[in-house]
Amino acid sequence: MAGQADNRAPYAKIAAHYSGLIASGQLQPGSLLPSIKNLAEEWKVSTATAEKALRKLRNEGLVRGIHGIGTEVLDRPAPMSSGSQRQDRGRRTGSSWGTGESSDSHQAAVVPAPAEVAQALDVQPGSDVIRRSRVYRDRHGIVAHSTSWIPARYGALIPQLATSERLTGGTSLQLIAQVTGHPISHRIDTASASLLTAEYARLLELDPGTPSTEPVVVMTARFVDSEGNVVEYGVDLGGPGRTWRTESEVSA
């Protein structure tokens, strides 16, 4: 049945399963989820656990309860994900993809560091850095255009960082930590809105003849290892109309 084995509570596994079906389009807006009783029987859990799973989906804005009818899948703004969220997913699952996502257009090259990138990586402007880019997509279209900037010294240790292919053996951060022995200890995230420039339109594959009036979400993340070295600077451009969303547990 659903679900990759993990340590989540049963209700969270059930909710994640249906969240994935909704994100992939297998459950369309207007579809009805199984009843609490049917969920409990199918997943071999109590009705309280099944009800808690549906409540989690409601709290996430994915479904709504209709009295006398059941639980209906809602349409909602297409989400985007950030580099920090992909790092979290990579650490948990070994993949940076979100539910219903795929990636393509993987490109890599050694290039001179632009001023902003040099400052973020704590290197001299114009010095060699590795630029890795890719496009994340889901059923709505482009989730984000993502660029990772990495000091060139890591390319000498991990040659595949500079090749235009999807990485194997882990994410760039995981590979760097494995080779250096220094785990990522913290990150610094920023988020801002920007007008759609010609360059952003090109990266997001938008028609320049019909420019979007919606702002673009620009998210950055600096990843620092346990020795204080900045090992990567990520820049994500969210497609127009995308909404960034995050969730965390709150202790009572």
Side-chain angles (χ1 to χ4, degrees):
M1 187 182 302
Q4 173 180 355
D6 55 38
N7 294 322
R8 289 177 295 183
Y11 82 91
K13 294 180 183 180
I14 298 171
H17 171 69
Y18 285 100
S19 176
L21 293 180
I22 293 169
S24 67
Q26 295 180 64
L27 278 176
Q28 292 289 319
S31 301
L32 293 178
L33 267 57
S35 66
I36 291 175
K37 179 182 177 182
N38 288 342
L39 275 180
E41 292 176 350
E42 181 181 356
W43 289 81
K44 296 179 174 56
V45 296
S46 68
T47 55
T49 295
E51 198 283 327
K52 191 173 182 180
L54 293 181
R55 184 165 66 247
K56 178 173 173 59
L57 293 171
R58 290 196 300 271
N59 291 340
E60 291 177 354
L62 295 175
V63 302
R64 65 170 178 169
I66 304 177
H67 182 70
I69 296 178
T71 302
E72 179 188 44
V73 175
L74 294 173
D75 201 2
R76 64 172 187 160
M80 73 164 289
S81 56
S82 67
S84 56
Q85 288 171 315
R86 286 196 285 276
Q87 183 208 15
D88 290 339
R89 283 198 295 261
R91 187 170 57 243
R92 292 196 313 268
T93 70
S95 173
S96 63
W97 293 340
T99 303
E101 286 184 2
S102 62
S103 62
D104 57 45
S105 304
H106 292 258
Q107 298 290 327
V110 177
V111 300
E116 174 196 353
V117 172
Q119 181 177 8
L121 292 178
D122 195 21
V123 300
Q124 290 296 315
S127 59
D128 284 350
V129 294
I130 299 170
R131 180 186 64 208
R132 294 188 57 82
S133 63
R134 81 289 292 166
V135 176
Y136 289 89
R137 305 178 195 270
D138 63 11
R139 65 187 179 90
H140 298 284
I142 290 182
V143 175
H145 181 282
S146 180
T147 304
S148 299
W149 301 88
I150 303 168
R153 64 181 180 275
Y154 296 114
L157 300 173
I158 311 168
Q160 70 165 317
L161 289 177
T163 61
S164 296
E165 298 176 357
R166 186 166 181 261
L167 295 175
T168 58
T171 64
S172 54
L173 293 169
Q174 290 171 323
L175 294 173
I176 291 171
Q178 290 168 11
V179 168
T180 63
H182 305 314
I184 304 303
S185 61
H186 64 285
R187 67 188 183 221
I188 302 95
D189 299 314
T190 71
S192 61
S194 173
L195 295 176
L196 184 68
T197 65
E199 176 64 5
Y200 287 173
R202 182 185 70 81
L203 294 176
L204 294 172
E205 302 173 11
L206 299 174
D207 182 358
T210 56
S212 172
T213 58
E214 295 187 69
V216 175
V217 178
V218 182
M219 307 193 74
T220 73
R222 295 172 67 225
F223 298 93
V224 183
D225 70 13
S226 57
E227 298 297 299
N229 301 305
V230 181
V231 301
E232 187 170 312
Y233 174 57
V235 180
D236 288 275
L237 305 176
R242 293 277 170 171
T243 300
W244 181 63
R245 180 180 179 278
T246 186
E247 178 182 348
S248 58
E249 296 290 337
V250 178
S251 300

